């Protein structure tokens, strides 16, 4: 079938930084469940949360509460560790995105090293797949890395858009071209392509226009805008940008 840009692009809203605000004071607010509910009502397709090893924002109880109380597709980001696999196999999110994790980093810096960490990532993918959790690999838009994805067995990749988001001018155009090339290549292998990291109200449109991308996961910019316009409006405004890019 001919690819066309009018295919809807899905949005997973990453609400980690609502938990960051809560953890900064150890309060019970802002309420993550309320945020998840409002994001869902505003039209998002999924809630994305990252349970980090150091539990700096999302807590175990948040994962279980969202899973149980909010009827929306859950995309759980996790490191390829035994602890996280155990939790994911208990929570059973629809999607699990395997991400690299370093304790000292501010956010997820760079994609998975799927060549150096091949066996660990393959094992984690198999464990989650056995539980019918769909696995996505968070990787750089790098053809050599994408070539290894079929051997790992994950049906989805999420392309790291952080370098694109941080670049300017011609550099940004070059990064966009890398994302386009990586998307087309992965799509030709039958891999579902998602993208995310650093996407905001100015730089999302160009990524959303890549027709083979199926989903964007966006967090920081939406939560930041929510401070001024509320989470519902912030979510709807991002959906509008994405729909416009797809001619919807
Ligand atoms: N996708 C993945 C795999 C991530 O790790 C993150 C950050 O947690 C995001 C998307 C969202 O990035 P941002 O908060 O910069 O929108």
């Amino acid at each position: 079938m001919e690819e066309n840009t009018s295919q809807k692009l899905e949005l997973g809203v990453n609400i980690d930084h609502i938990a960051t605000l809560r953890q900064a004071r150890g309060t019970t607010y802002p309420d993550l469940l309320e945020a998840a509910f409002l994001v869902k009502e505003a039209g998002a397709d999924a809630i994305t949360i990252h349970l980090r090893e150091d539990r700096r924002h999302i807590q175990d109880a948040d994962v279980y509460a969202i899973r149980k109380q909010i009827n929306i597709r859950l995309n759980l980001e996790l490191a390829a560790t035994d602890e996280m696999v155990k939790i994911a196999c208990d929570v059973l999110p629809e999607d699990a995105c395997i991400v690299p994790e370093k304790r000292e980093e501010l956010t997820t810096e760079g994609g998975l090293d799927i060549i150096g960490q091949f066996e660990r990532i393959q094992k984690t993918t198999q464990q989650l797949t056995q539980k019918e959790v769909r696995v996505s690999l968070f990787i750089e838009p790098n053809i050599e890395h994408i070539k290894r994805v079929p051997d790992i067995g994950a049906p989805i990749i999420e392309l790291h858009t952080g370098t694109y988001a941080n670049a300017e001018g011609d550099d940004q155009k070059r990064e966009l071209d890398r994302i386009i090339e990586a998307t087309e290549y992965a799509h030709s292998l039958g891999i579902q392509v998602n993208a995310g990291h650093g996407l905001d109200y100015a730089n999302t449109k160009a990524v959303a226009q890549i027709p083979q991308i199926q989903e964007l996961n966006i967090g920081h910019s939406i939560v930041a805008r929510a401070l001024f316009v509320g989470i519902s409006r912030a979510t709807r405004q991002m959906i509008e940008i994405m729909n416009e890019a797809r001619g919807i």
Side-chain angles (χ1 to χ4, degrees), residues 7-245:
Q7 197 183 343
K8 186 182 178 291
L9 177 61
E10 296 188 22
L11 173 65
V13 177
N14 181 316
I15 57 173
D16 292 351
H17 294 305
I18 294 181
T20 301
L21 194 56
R22 181 193 63 193
Q23 296 307 113
R25 281 290 184 90
T27 47
T28 54
Y29 62 85
D31 183 347
L32 223 62
L33 282 176
E34 190 174 355
F37 178 76
L38 292 172
V39 160
K40 175 189 167 212
E41 290 297 297
D45 301 283
I47 294 290
T48 296
I49 44 178
H50 184 178
L51 184 65
R52 293 187 73 102
E53 191 189 5
D54 63 9
R55 307 300 198 271
R56 68 175 71 160
H57 38 53
I58 298 293
Q59 306 297 303
D60 298 48
D62 295 325
V63 182
Y64 285 92
I66 290 171
R67 170 81 291 193
K68 194 159 163 225
Q69 296 189 46
I70 311 293
N71 185 19
I72 189 168
R73 179 160 59 84
L74 178 62
N75 175 26
L76 182 64
E77 296 177 358
L78 46 87
T81 64
D82 293 343
E83 183 200 16
M84 288 303 153
V85 169
K86 190 157 174 267
I87 293 170
C89 288
D90 191 37
V91 172
L92 297 178
E94 283 80 5
D95 296 301
C97 181
I98 305 177
V99 299
E101 207 176 290
K102 293 190 224 99
R103 262 175 200 271
E104 65 279 10
E105 69 190 355
L106 277 179
T107 179
T108 314
E109 293 163 5
L112 284 168
D113 174 11
I114 74 169
I115 294 172
Q117 298 283 311
F118 184 88
E119 269 147 36
R120 170 161 285 282
I121 296 167
Q122 186 185 49
K123 182 175 162 220
T124 301
T125 300
Q126 285 167 351
Q127 288 170 317
L128 294 168
T129 304
Q130 269 169 13
K131 292 284 185 182
E132 295 181 8
V133 175
R134 260 185 322 197
V135 175
S136 155
L137 306 178
F138 189 48
I139 59 174
E140 295 291 329
N142 177 320
I143 301 292
E144 293 312 308
H145 288 195
I146 295 169
K147 279 183 185 161
R148 302 306 309 272
V149 172
D151 295 333
I152 286 188
I156 308 173
I157 56 170
E158 179 169 326
L159 293 177
H160 195 311
T161 50
T163 310
Y164 158 80
N166 290 334
E168 289 175 10
D170 286 349
D171 288 343
Q172 189 167 56
K173 173 81 183 69
R174 260 192 298 280
E175 288 303 325
L176 183 65
D177 287 343
R178 280 181 71 212
I179 295 169
I180 293 170
E181 190 192 359
T183 300
E184 288 174 351
Y185 180 67
H187 189 254
S188 77
L189 298 181
I191 299 166
Q192 177 181 321
V193 183
N194 299 342
H197 211 283
L199 296 177
D200 62 25
Y201 293 83
N203 65 24
T204 292
K205 185 177 169 195
V207 176
Q209 281 173 328
I210 305 170
Q212 300 89 347
I213 293 185
Q214 189 151 328
E215 171 175 300
L216 299 181
N217 283 296
I218 308 180
H220 191 263
S221 64
I222 293 177
V223 172
R225 178 162 294 219
L227 292 173
F228 303 109
V229 305
I231 191 81
S232 305
R233 225 166 118 190
T235 301
R236 281 198 301 270
Q237 286 175 350
M238 189 56 84
I239 293 171
E240 276 165 27
I241 290 171
M242 291 165 54
N243 285 346
E244 244 173 65

